[in-house]
């Protein structure tokens, strides 16, 4: 199921804006200036890479169709409702309820160190459903309908995936 999580094409997040003045200084994702991918007008494109760039600075972002108002998260370049291509980024609160979940005991090799872990679909307050890991919860307390809130983290060097991650935890 984790394979369904949206993933950027590249697992390498580099600080593209950093020039040669810096050598091998370690920059955490949260501190760095994310290398947003821009279109020819200088607007941040609705790509999964940019979605994770926003995660790196602690923001859950979706896109809103400028024609029909449909909200999509993670973002897509084409509205799933009207097929319109006009979009604007909107920040989402990151609050939602658990729609469904499962606990993974036998994960793909990259996730072995995390097992057992819970993944689920979170229905965001604003509407979209977002697949996510559910953390900071005793599995006995996992229940459809519980209130969750988003949080962000950067993978440790030995962990996979390397890009900034979001997850959900019980709402406080
Ligand atoms: Zn639309």
């Amino acid at each position: 199921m984790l394979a369904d999580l949206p993933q950027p094409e590249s697992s390498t997040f580099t600080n593209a804006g950093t020039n040669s003045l810096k050598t091998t200084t370690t920059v955490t994702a949260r501190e760095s200036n994310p290398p947003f991918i821009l279109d020819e007008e200088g607007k941040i494109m609705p790509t999964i890479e940019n979605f994770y760039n926003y995660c790196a600075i602690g923001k859950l972002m979706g896109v809103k169709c400028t024609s029909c108002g449909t909200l999509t998260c993670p973002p897509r370049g084409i509205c799933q409702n009207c097929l319109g291509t006009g979009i604007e980024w909107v920040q989402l609160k990151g609050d939602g309820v658990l729609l469904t979940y499962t606990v993974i005991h036998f994960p793909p090799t990259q996730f072995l160190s995390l097992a057992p872990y819970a993944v689920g679909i979170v229905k965001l307050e604003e509407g979209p459903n977002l697949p996510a890991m559910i953390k900071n919860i005793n599995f006995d307390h996992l229940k459809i309908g519980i209130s969750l809130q988003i949080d962000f983290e950067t993978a440790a060097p030995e962990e996979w995936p390397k890009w900034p991650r979001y997850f959900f935890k019980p709402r406080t």
Side-chain angles (χ1 to χ4, degrees):
M1 177 156 182
L2 218 96
D4 295 339
L5 291 177
Q7 297 176 358
E9 285 167 18
S10 163
S11 63
T12 311
F13 268 72
T14 53
N15 189 352
T18 307
N19 60 29
S20 55
L21 286 175
K22 286 193 177 174
T23 50
T24 54
T25 313
T26 304
V27 180
T28 67
R30 198 175 285 269
E31 290 164 351
S32 69
N33 188 22
F36 284 109
I37 301 160
L38 308 177
D39 65 14
E40 59 278 3
E41 293 172 2
K43 289 185 185 157
I44 295 175
M45 294 181 72
T47 64
I48 204 71
E49 287 84 359
N50 282 336
F51 171 79
Y52 280 104
N53 282 332
Y54 275 121
C55 286
I57 53 174
K59 288 183 176 179
L60 175 65
M61 300 291 285
V63 294
K64 191 173 164 186
C65 173
T66 53
S67 302
C68 74
T70 297
L71 203 53
T72 309
C73 180
R76 288 183 198 164
I78 295 176
C79 173
Q80 56 195 343
N81 181 48
C82 75
L83 304 182
T85 52
I87 66 102
E88 58 185 15
W89 286 95
V90 288
Q91 185 169 0
L92 307 175
K93 279 171 65 184
D95 291 336
V97 295
L98 189 56
L99 276 189
T100 183
Y101 68 91
T102 187
V103 176
I104 309 284
H105 292 273
F106 301 100
T109 21
Q110 302 97 318
F111 290 96
L112 270 179
S113 65
L114 300 176
Y117 58 87
V119 292
I121 306 287
V122 179
K123 182 163 192 61
L124 300 171
E125 247 178 48
E126 294 89 348
N129 296 339
L130 189 60
M133 270 201 203
I134 318 297
K135 295 187 168 189
N136 302 4
I137 189 168
N138 183 319
F139 295 152
D140 293 340
H141 298 156
L142 279 170
K143 215 172 125 188
I144 288 168
I146 57 171
S147 296
L148 299 170
Q149 69 183 90
I150 204 159
D151 202 350
F152 301 92
E153 63 183 353
T154 305
E158 71 280 7
E159 282 181 339
W160 190 92
K162 300 295 182 197
W163 55 87
R165 304 186 290 210
Y166 66 88
F167 64 92
F168 280 81
K169 61 186 183 183
R171 198 182 305 175
T172 52

